[in-house]
Amino acid sequence: MFRKLDILDEKEKVLRQVSKEVKLPLSKEDKKTIDEIITYLTYSQIPEYEKKYELRPGMGLSFVQLGILKRIIVIVDEYEEGKFDNYVVINPVIVSNSTEMIAASEGEGCLSVNREVPGHVARYARVTVEGYDVDGNKIRIRAREELSIAFQHEIDHLNGILFYDRIDKNKPFYTEKEMRLL
Ligand code: NI
């Protein structure tokens, strides 16, 4: 059942392309890929499986990271130890955002970036995302804090943007005064 996914490295140029809108209903193949991503991301956040399958922990993946240029994102959020919420959004759009910005204090990571890139990435503290679920129903998700960062990071992938593109080269780190750091 468990298949280790071939996640593309940042050097692959396809990651810089803009993914295409998905026509609904979703194909069987896309649904299968979504299930595999959910399993992968969940296992990667469970220490026992992470070790067993030599996975890098990650909470989000977009289809383009598998070389599939479709606007589909998957986020598996460990909201409590050992408890996970899955978010799958097809054709996601940020329809509103807070004015308040935040950044992950440790910086961001990405399953396609196999190195440390130091620096803070400014993100909206809260976003509302609209799109469709796997059954083609319209959905709206309100995300805050770490989950908000994850949505913005994954939606960036659909537009060919990697997190470090947003790090200010001249001033890679914010102070607590300048930015609320998580
Ligand atoms: Ni990423």
Side-chain angles (χ1 to χ4, degrees):
M1 173 75 200
F2 180 71
R3 184 169 76 88
K4 199 164 170 177
L5 299 173
D6 289 318
I7 299 171
L8 298 183
D9 182 81
E10 57 178 317
K11 68 178 185 290
E12 304 288 343
K13 290 199 170 63
V14 68
L15 287 173
R16 293 312 196 164
Q17 290 189 37
V18 175
S19 296
K20 294 186 178 65
E21 292 268 322
V22 178
K23 285 202 185 86
L24 296 162
L26 218 51
S27 67
K28 265 192 180 162
E29 199 188 344
D30 286 342
K31 282 187 180 176
K32 185 168 170 267
T33 304
I34 287 167
D35 286 341
E36 287 177 341
I37 294 173
I38 290 171
T39 304
Y40 186 98
L41 294 175
T42 307
Y43 276 27
S44 83
Q45 295 180 77
I46 298 172
E48 182 194 340
Y49 292 117
E50 179 204 329
K51 218 172 145 187
K52 184 176 174 188
Y53 296 111
E54 297 177 305
L55 307 175
R56 258 190 73 202
M59 70 182 290
L61 199 80
S62 57
F63 262 45
V64 64
Q65 290 175 274
L66 301 177
I68 308 165
L69 283 165
K70 294 181 177 178
R71 301 187 79 82
I72 301 175
I73 62 170
V74 179
I75 293 168
V76 176
D77 178 36
E78 187 175 26
Y79 62 94
E80 207 176 282
E81 187 160 344
K83 290 184 180 174
F84 300 92
D85 268 337
N86 304 332
Y87 299 90
V88 178
V89 190
I90 295 134
N91 300 333
V93 178
I94 295 172
V95 292
S96 70
N97 58 262
S98 60
T99 51
E100 190 198 0
M101 305 296 284
I102 52 172
S105 57
E106 304 293 319
E108 290 183 25
C110 177
L111 292 172
S112 292
V113 180
N114 294 297
R115 63 192 171 105
E116 288 276 316
V117 184
H120 292 144
V121 184
R123 302 287 194 185
Y124 302 120
R126 294 169 296 285
V127 291
T128 301
V129 176
E130 284 186 358
Y132 296 86
D133 68 13
V134 288
D135 300 314
N137 303 307
K138 182 115 200 193
I139 51 169
R140 171 191 292 235
I141 296 161
R142 288 187 187 82
R144 54 194 292 280
E145 308 293 286
E146 196 183 41
L147 189 59
S148 175
I149 292 176
F151 272 102
Q152 291 166 77
H153 178 117
E154 297 312 323
I155 291 171
D156 269 354
H157 274 301
L158 305 183
N159 297 318
I161 298 165
L162 295 174
F163 74 90
Y164 52 76
D165 300 346
R166 297 190 181 279
I167 296 173
D168 187 338
K169 282 189 187 68
N170 299 312
K171 193 186 177 305
F173 294 98
Y174 297 103
T175 64
E176 294 271 5
K177 267 188 186 168
E178 294 166 327
M179 178 80 63
R180 187 157 65 81
L181 301 171
L182 298 189

